[in-house]
Amino acid sequence: MKNADLFLSNMAKRGLEIKDFSLYEQAFTHSSYRNEHKDECLDYERLEFIGDAVLDLLVGKFIFQKFPNMNSGELSKCRASLVRGKTLASFSKELGLDKFIRVSHGQEKTGKIPDKILEDVFEAFIGAFYLDNDRNFVKVEEFVKSFFIEPIENYLSYEQFDYKSRFQEFVQKDGTVKIEYVVLKESGSPQDKHFVIEVRVNGVALGKGVGSSKKKAEQMAAKEALERRVI
């Protein structure tokens, strides 16, 4: 593993005991590195599978307890908004996992680990942590919860940022279309802005949203369009 001593030090600072080091070594090994060292290592894909399942279970439990009035569909949407690539990649960066990832020489020369790999590595790391603590699931639960306390408390803002991509997927399921977000009104002071934005598909207005920023207003416009389903 790259920077193995630094990894162990970082984990110790977080009060985490590493028992089976080989699990984490595998969790930080990308398939491109394995392909260059075929007989020397395993990549993280199997651990990613386990980590993904652990995250779905635990985040599902957290939001089930936090939001007793949500129905099953709302719970699924909430979990999908929380357990998504951008968020998991940010957790990787928070833990400094990019310092330990092993990739091919070509990828390493770029000097940057893509967010998709950071996302996958976080899931693999959770898989490794789960297997390393399989007799103490409470410890695993507490560790995962430490990352999701703030996102769950503010899940609406996480969910909002997903409306545009959901809308794009919805309208483009039968082919490419032109999606525009048009500012209808901008008012307020620099410290207290107010935007009204309309979303149009092939020139047809489908939804309108308001917000304190263009991004938030665009998300609300996409949300309204999705809810209306008038395409």
Side-chain angles (χ1 to χ4, degrees):
M1 181 196 294
K2 288 173 57 179
N3 303 316
D5 290 340
L6 178 61
F7 168 71
L8 293 172
S9 174
N10 284 359
M11 295 301 101
K13 288 176 182 177
R14 290 177 172 270
L16 303 177
E17 180 186 359
I18 304 302
K19 297 186 283 291
D20 187 347
F21 184 78
S22 66
L23 285 170
Y24 302 93
E25 190 168 38
Q26 181 180 344
F28 298 133
T29 302
H30 187 252
S31 58
S32 63
Y33 183 93
R34 185 208 63 199
N35 289 337
E36 291 181 350
H37 305 77
K38 293 185 183 295
D39 299 325
E40 299 178 25
C41 59
L42 298 172
D43 64 40
Y44 60 59
E45 291 182 1
R46 283 170 56 83
L47 289 173
E48 179 191 356
F49 170 80
I50 290 293
D52 178 66
V54 170
L55 288 173
D56 273 356
L57 170 64
L58 289 178
V59 175
K61 177 183 177 180
F62 300 153
I63 61 176
F64 181 85
Q65 294 173 333
K66 177 70 175 178
F67 307 112
N69 295 322
M70 278 189 178
N71 61 38
S72 61
E74 291 169 333
L75 286 169
S76 293
K77 289 179 181 179
C78 180
R79 181 174 61 186
S81 298
L82 294 167
V83 186
R84 58 182 179 142
K86 184 178 180 180
T87 303
L88 301 187
S90 73
F91 294 159
S92 264
K93 294 173 184 175
E94 179 183 334
L95 283 167
L97 301 186
D98 55 312
K99 299 180 181 67
F100 316 121
I101 298 172
R102 302 192 296 183
V103 294
S104 66
H105 290 305
Q107 179 65 59
E108 195 166 26
K109 285 180 180 178
T110 67
K112 183 179 180 182
I113 302 295
D115 278 359
K116 181 62 174 72
I117 294 180
L118 289 171
E119 168 198 348
D120 294 345
V121 164
F122 182 77
E123 291 180 328
F125 176 75
I126 293 299
F129 189 75
Y130 162 70
L131 293 175
D132 202 24
N133 295 273
D134 62 344
R135 295 187 179 182
N136 189 357
F137 193 68
V138 172
K139 185 175 182 179
V140 178
E141 182 173 345
E142 290 174 350
F143 181 63
V144 172
K145 192 172 186 178
S146 69
F147 291 96
F148 285 93
I149 290 175
E150 188 273 335
I152 289 172
E153 289 293 333
N154 300 282
Y155 89 96
L156 284 176
S157 63
Y158 281 75
E159 186 180 26
Q160 285 175 2
F161 290 122
D162 205 23
Y163 286 129
K164 285 182 69 176
S165 60
R166 290 181 191 173
F167 180 65
Q168 181 173 334
E169 290 173 2
F170 179 75
V171 299
Q172 291 186 340
K173 65 182 185 296
D174 297 320
T176 302
V177 297
K178 182 180 180 181
I179 303 173
E180 298 176 283
Y181 289 88
V182 181
V183 178
L184 301 181
K185 184 179 180 182
E186 179 179 345
S187 59
S189 65
Q191 292 77 31
D192 186 23
K193 290 293 241 181
H194 182 81
F195 294 90
V196 180
I197 287 180
E198 186 174 73
V199 60
R200 300 172 184 173
V201 174
N202 293 336
V204 179
L206 297 180
K208 187 183 295 184
V210 298
S212 57
S213 69
K214 288 182 180 180
K215 286 185 178 180
K216 290 180 180 179
E218 287 173 357
Q219 295 295 342
M220 292 300 96
K223 179 176 184 292
E224 181 177 275
L226 278 169
E227 291 173 344
R228 293 174 64 193
R229 293 290 203 278
V230 294
I231 300 168

